[in-house]
Amino acid sequence: MHPQGYPTEAVQMQGMGNGGLTGQPGVVQHTAVNITAGQQVITESPKDHIIWSLFSFVYANPFCLGLAALIYSIKARDRKMVGDVDGARHYGSTARSLNIAATVIAVTGYEVSLGQTFEAAGKQQVMINFKPI
C-alpha cells in the first residue's frame, strides 16, 4: 500500500543496520494488516425480501407502503448484483421495515372490517328473530 505521490524506496536505517551492525545498509520492510474493528465478517448475502414485497404490494398496500417496499427490494437486489453489500443491506433493511408496517396495518384493517361485518350480520339475525307480541 503506497499512497500516490510517494515512491517506494529502500531506506537506510540510522544507527542499526543489517543484523544490528552499525554502518551496514538496511532495508525497511512494510507489512499491511487490515483491521475491521467493530465489524463482523459476514458471509451470508443480504436479503432483499422481494417475495414479501410483492405480496405486500398486491394484497397489503395501505398508504402505498407495499409499493415503497417493492421499490426498496428492487434497489437492494440491484445493489447486491453490483457488489455493494452495505448498500444492499441498507435497502433490504428498509424494505423489511416497510413490509412489516404494511403487513401490520393491513392485517389490523382486515380484522376490523371482519369484526364489523360479523357485528352487522349478528344484528340482522337478531332483527329476523324478533317477533312483536
Side-chain angles (χ1 to χ4, degrees), residues 1-3 6-13 26-34:
M1 178 176 112
H2 302 288
Y6 294 101
T8 305
E9 60 185 51
V11 178
Q12 184 176 0
M13 297 179 67
V27 177
V28 178
Q29 295 180 351
H30 297 278
T31 303
V33 178
N34 293 329

Side-chain angles (χ1 to χ4, degrees), residues 28-103:
V28 178
Q29 295 180 351
H30 297 278
T31 303
V33 178
N34 293 329
I35 300 174
T36 56
Q39 293 181 352
Q40 300 175 4
V41 177
I42 299 174
T43 57
E44 182 179 331
S45 69
K47 296 182 180 180
D48 54 11
H49 304 287
I50 191 79
I51 302 297
W52 190 5
S53 298
L54 283 170
F55 176 80
S56 294
F57 177 65
V58 173
Y59 295 109
N61 196 13
F63 309 114
C64 295
L65 290 175
L67 176 62
L70 182 62
I71 290 170
Y72 275 96
S73 293
I74 292 170
K75 285 184 176 187
R77 183 162 284 194
D78 289 344
R79 292 285 92 197
K80 187 167 48 171
M81 292 299 161
V82 172
D84 182 13
V85 178
D86 290 332
R89 190 171 293 112
H90 172 71
Y91 283 125
S93 174
T94 304
R96 180 177 180 261
S97 299
L98 290 170
N99 280 324
I100 290 171
T103 303

Side-chain angles (χ1 to χ4, degrees), residues 11-13 16-19 21-27:
V11 178
Q12 184 176 0
M13 297 179 67
M16 299 286 277
N18 200 3
L21 302 174
T22 57
Q24 297 287 328
V27 177

Side-chain angles (χ1 to χ4, degrees), residues 86-119:
D86 290 332
R89 190 171 293 112
H90 172 71
Y91 283 125
S93 174
T94 304
R96 180 177 180 261
S97 299
L98 290 170
N99 280 324
I100 290 171
T103 303
V104 167
I105 292 171
V107 167
T108 304
Y110 290 144
E111 287 179 353
V112 168
S113 67
L114 281 175
Q116 290 176 348
T117 303
F118 287 130
E119 184 179 330

